[in-house]
Amino acid sequence: MNVRDSEATEATLKAAGHTLAANENEADLIIVNSCSVRGKAEDKAIGKLGLLCATKRDRPNRIIGLMGCMAQRLGSDIFKKIPRLDFSVGTRRCGAIPFMVARVMAGETNITEISSPDEIPDVPDAHSEHGFSAFVTILLGCNRRCAYCIVPDVRGPEFSRPAREVLAEVTALAHQGVKEVTLLGQSVMNYGLMQQVWTPNDPQSPHGFKEPFSRLLEAVSSIPGILRVRFTSGHPSGCTDELVKAVSLLPNVCHHLHLPVQSGSDAILSAMRRGYTRAAYLDAIRRLRAVMPDFALTTDVIVGFPGETVQDFEETRSLMNAADFDNAFIFKYSPRPGTPAAAMKDDVPETEKMRRNQLLLADQDTRGEAANQRLMGSVQEVLVEGASLRNAARWSGRSPGNKIVVFDPVPDLTPGTLAKIRINRVAPQTLYGEVVQTNG
Ligand code: 5AD
Ligand code: SF4
C-alpha cells in the first residue's frame, strides 16, 4: 500500500512540474513514507528524518516532508520530535502533497494535513513510469480490529472505490502497456461490502457473480491488454464459494493469494480477534486447492503475541506445515499505542521472540525449497520482464505463484508477453528454466 502511495505521489508531483532527482543527495525535496505497523519501522523513519533535517543546515532551501501512517498517527506532534520537518501528510491526503510543497516553497513550514476517519478519500489514480506491472488500490482502510493492529487507526475505516473508477484506471494502465495489475486492499475481498460500488446501470457479470469483489475480478480481467490479475491481502472469510469459482474460472487471475494467518493456535487467534479458527483457516485453503491444486499461498505470522505459550507456538509451526506455504513473513510482536493488545502484558521475552522467529524462518526455508523442488520439470507461464537484474545476458519474469524465473532469451521472445518456461534448476528464491513456447 505504501509503495503504491509513493508511486502515486511521484506521479502527482511530476504533473505539478517537479522532476525526479538522480539520487537522494541531489534532491531538493525529500518525502519519507512511513509505516506504523511495528515500533521499529517508526523508529527508522524518525532516525531518517532526523538525518535529513540535519542536512538543512548546509542546504536551507531543501524541503523535507513526511507521509504515511506515522504522519497520520502523530499529527502535529511530529514537529515536537522533528522541529525542522516542513510538512506532514496523513494517509488519505496524498493528493494534497503538491499543494503542501507549494506552500512550503512560499515560506510556510511545520504544516500538516490529517484526514478525519469519516471523510471520503480522494484517491490519486495517477501512475508514474513503470514496467509491465502496476498496483491499483481498490479498498482503503480496514474495519476489522485485530487486537495488535494499528492499521484501522491510521488508515481509517473501509472505503471501496467505485468500480467505474477502478476500471477506468486499469484501462488507462493497459493503454500505457501495463500487462499485470495487483488489486490492493487490507481485506481485499471485502471490496464493496460496506457501500455501493456498482451503479445500477453497470452491466451485470457475464458469469452471474453477485459478490462485488468477484464481479470486479471478472471486469478487470476482461480489460483488453491485461494478461494477469493479482490481489492482496486476503482474509479467510473472503474465500467464499463464489470467490473460489471466480479465481478458477477467470483464466488470467493468478492462482496465488497472500493470506495472513498470524497464528495457528485457537487461543491466540481468539485473543488477536482474528475472527476465524485454525480449522476455518485450513478449510479456506483446502477449498482453494481442491479446485486449483497449483494454488500458491503466502502468509504473515506474528510470534510472541501476549500470552503465547510454547504450546501455542508449536501449533503455529504445525499449521504452517499443514498449510504448506510457499513463502511466509514472520514478525516479532510489537505493542502499538492505543491498540487493545497494548493493554495486555507483553510477556514473551525478546530472546524467546527471536528464537521463535528463527525457528519459523528455518522451517519456511526448508518448506520453500521442497516446494520449489516439486516444480522441477514443470512448465510455468511467465510474464517476461526482460534482462535479469543480476545478469543482463539472462532474462527473468514471474510465475503465477510470483516466483522469479530466470531463462536464456530466444529470438522471438518479447518483454511484456507470457511465455512457457520448463523448469530445470531450482534455488531457494529462484527458478531456472528454458523457453518452450512464446506468445510474442
Ligand atoms: N506487531 C508485529 N507484527 C504486526 N503486524 C501487524 N501489527 C503488528 C504488530 N503490532 C504484522 C501482521 C500483518 C503484517 C503486515 O504486519 O503479520 O499481517
Ligand atoms: Fe490490521 Fe487485522 Fe485490519 Fe489486517 S485485518 S489491517 S491485521 S486490523
Side-chain angles (χ1 to χ4, degrees):
M1 200 67 85
N2 274 15
V3 170
R4 167 64 192 131
D5 289 346
S6 293
E7 191 234 348
T9 301
E10 184 188 326
T12 50
L13 283 168
K14 278 182 178 163
H18 298 272
T19 52
L20 194 62
N23 55 50
E24 182 183 311
N25 207 20
E26 286 178 17
D28 300 316
L29 161 66
I30 301 178
I31 307 171
V32 173
N33 194 352
S34 58
C35 170
S36 289
V37 159
R38 285 169 293 279
K40 233 187 192 164
E42 287 204 345
D43 297 344
K44 254 169 119 175
I46 295 275
K48 181 75 188 177
L49 285 170
L51 289 175
L52 289 173
C53 287
T55 67
K56 290 174 72 156
R57 237 170 287 148
D58 298 328
R59 299 174 64 166
N61 291 332
R62 200 174 213 190
I63 299 174
I64 310 292
L66 172 68
M67 63 188 280
C69 297
M70 191 174 71
Q72 180 71 32
R73 190 174 83 76
L74 293 179
S76 51
D77 284 352
I78 186 67
F79 302 119
K80 291 187 196 143
K81 291 182 195 275
I82 313 283
R84 300 189 70 170
L85 182 68
D86 293 300
F87 69 91
S88 182
V89 183
T91 47
R92 293 190 177 195
R93 292 279 175 89
C94 294
I97 289 177
F99 305 103
M100 304 285 282
V101 172
R103 283 171 62 191
V104 174
M105 287 168 83
E108 287 185 69
T109 190
N110 283 182
I111 50 178
T112 49
E113 281 269 356
I114 301 300
S115 56
S116 68
D118 48 359
E119 76 184 32
I120 295 192
D122 166 26
V123 187
D125 57 4
H127 288 257
S128 47
E129 283 158 44
H130 30 61
F132 301 114
S133 298
F135 289 124
V136 175
T137 303
I138 64 166
L139 179 76
L140 291 89
C142 184
N143 276 1
R144 291 181 196 281
R145 279 260 157 203
C146 300
Y148 50 81
C149 187
I150 199 149
V151 167
D153 293 327
V154 290
R155 286 203 172 261
E158 248 174 51
F159 173 82
S160 298
R161 292 176 67 200
R164 278 170 182 261
E165 269 180 33
V166 173
L167 297 175
E169 185 171 328
V170 177
T171 305
L173 286 166
H175 285 147
Q176 291 159 36
V178 166
K179 308 290 179 190
E180 176 184 84
V181 290
T182 303
L183 307 177
L184 295 178
Q186 304 294 339
S187 289
V188 72
M189 292 104 111
N190 275 12
Y191 177 74
L193 294 187
M194 298 303 292
Q195 88 232 30
Q196 177 65 260
V197 285
W198 299 94
T199 49
N201 294 331
D202 281 320
Q204 285 304 304
S205 153
H207 285 103
F209 295 133
K210 292 198 174 58
E211 293 167 11
F213 183 63
S214 293
R215 286 190 65 186
L216 186 74
L217 271 184
E218 181 180 51
V220 168
S221 72
S222 65
I223 290 174
I226 296 300
L227 303 178
R228 273 185 172 175
V229 183
R230 300 180 182 278
F231 53 98
T232 192
S233 292
H235 183 275
S237 61
C239 296
T240 60
D241 290 345
E242 186 165 295
L243 186 274
V244 174
K245 189 173 152 199
V247 177
S248 61
L249 262 180
L250 301 169
N252 48 4
V253 174
C254 288
H255 292 183
H256 170 226
L257 181 57
H258 185 67
L259 195 65
V261 65
Q262 315 298 2
S263 170
S265 147
D266 279 341
I268 298 298
L269 285 171
S270 158
M272 285 177 164
R273 308 186 189 175
R274 284 292 291 171
Y276 54 83
T277 59
R278 172 192 177 96
Y281 183 92
L282 288 171
D283 185 57
I285 65 177
R286 186 192 52 73
R287 285 184 297 107
L288 285 163
R289 284 179 171 155
V291 263
M292 295 166 277
D294 62 342
F295 203 90
L297 277 170
T298 53
T299 201
D300 292 342
V301 172
I302 298 176
V303 291
F305 185 79
E308 186 187 70
T309 63
V310 170
Q311 180 57 37
D312 291 320
F313 168 69
E314 287 301 330
E315 285 178 29
T316 300
R317 276 185 100 179
S318 79
L319 176 131
M320 291 179 76
N321 257 327
D324 200 12
F325 291 117
D326 289 83
N327 202 359
F329 300 91
I330 321 288
F331 303 104
K332 288 180 287 174
Y333 169 69
S334 156
R336 305 308 297 130
T339 59
M344 305 173 189
K345 192 158 175 266
D346 184 12
D347 56 359
V348 180
E350 184 58 28
T351 48
E352 179 60 12
K353 283 183 188 167
M354 185 71 87
R355 187 187 75 89
R356 295 179 191 180
N357 188 3
Q358 310 248 293
L359 274 172
L360 294 189
L361 285 176
D363 284 0
Q364 187 55 47
D365 276 355
T366 316
R367 206 168 23 239
E369 259 187 84
N372 281 359
Q373 281 296 340
R374 286 198 297 274
L375 296 177
M376 273 291 279
S378 70
V379 173
Q380 297 284 317
E381 188 170 67
V382 168
L383 178 60
V384 179
E385 282 157 24
S388 135
L389 280 182
R390 291 232 180 114
N391 175 357
R394 309 205 76 188
W395 281 21
S396 69
R398 287 194 183 250
S399 71
N402 217 17
K403 292 194 170 137
I404 296 171
V405 183
V406 176
F407 47 89
D408 287 326
V410 296
D412 58 344
L413 193 64
T414 333
T417 60
L418 295 171
K420 295 221 160 59
I421 311 282
R422 178 169 290 109
I423 306 304
N424 53 26
R425 184 158 77 85
V426 300
Q429 302 298 333
T430 316
L431 307 174
Y432 298 85
E434 58 186 354
V435 179
V436 292
Q437 191 191 317
T438 63
N439 288 341

